[in-house]
């Protein structure tokens, strides 16, 4: 991710906009996008690390069929588990917000 967080804001929210004023709603949307990207990167990194440790006994120049199947199954299970937890978490958040 070249340029990073600051450069994106600098180009969109610099002094050249509408009178130099910042739109808080637009800034919040940009922050939400950056958080979502960071979360996706972390998910991918964790999944890769765990499945590699689980499935690859001796790293080599290529993966054999058993390793390929193990990686595919591991990644599928990891994503299914993550989606289940994510849905349960979001559901609980909605219930708690409704009870406020």
């Amino acid at each position: 991710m070249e340029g990073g967080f600051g450069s994106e804001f600098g180009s969109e929210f610099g002094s050249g906009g509408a009178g130099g004023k910042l739109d808080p709603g637009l800034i919040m949307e940009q922050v939400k996008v950056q958080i979502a990207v960071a979360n996706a990167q972390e998910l991918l990194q964790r999944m890769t690390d765990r499945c590699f440790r689980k499935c690859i006994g001796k790293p080599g120049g290529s993966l054999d069929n058993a390793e390929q199947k193990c990686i595919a199954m591991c990644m599928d299970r990891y994503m299914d588990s993550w989606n289940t937890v994510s849905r349960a978490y979001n559901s609980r958040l909605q219930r708690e917000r409704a009870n406020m």
Side-chain angles (χ1 to χ4, degrees):
M1 196 159 90
E2 206 169 308
F5 186 74
S7 66
E8 288 180 25
F9 279 109
S11 64
E12 290 184 33
F13 303 111
S15 59
K21 294 185 180 180
L22 300 176
D23 179 1
L26 188 56
I27 292 172
M28 284 303 294
E29 286 304 313
Q30 287 290 324
V31 169
K32 287 178 184 178
V33 167
Q34 291 294 326
I35 290 170
V37 168
N39 286 338
Q41 289 172 334
E42 183 178 353
L43 171 66
L44 184 60
Q45 184 63 46
R46 284 184 183 186
M47 180 175 56
T48 301
D49 289 345
R50 288 175 194 239
C51 291
F52 182 87
R53 279 187 267 127
K54 176 181 172 43
C55 297
I56 310 300
K58 288 184 176 178
S62 63
L63 299 175
D64 64 27
N65 285 339
E67 290 171 330
Q68 289 179 19
K69 288 178 184 176
C70 181
I71 291 281
M73 297 272 298
C74 178
M75 292 176 83
D76 285 346
R77 283 192 306 264
Y78 195 94
M79 289 302 296
D80 287 345
S81 299
W82 188 85
N83 286 330
T84 300
V85 170
S86 180
R87 279 192 302 270
Y89 177 73
N90 287 330
S91 176
R92 182 171 179 172
L93 280 178
Q94 288 176 355
R95 282 194 313 270
E96 288 182 9
R97 286 180 184 157
N99 290 335
M100 290 180 110

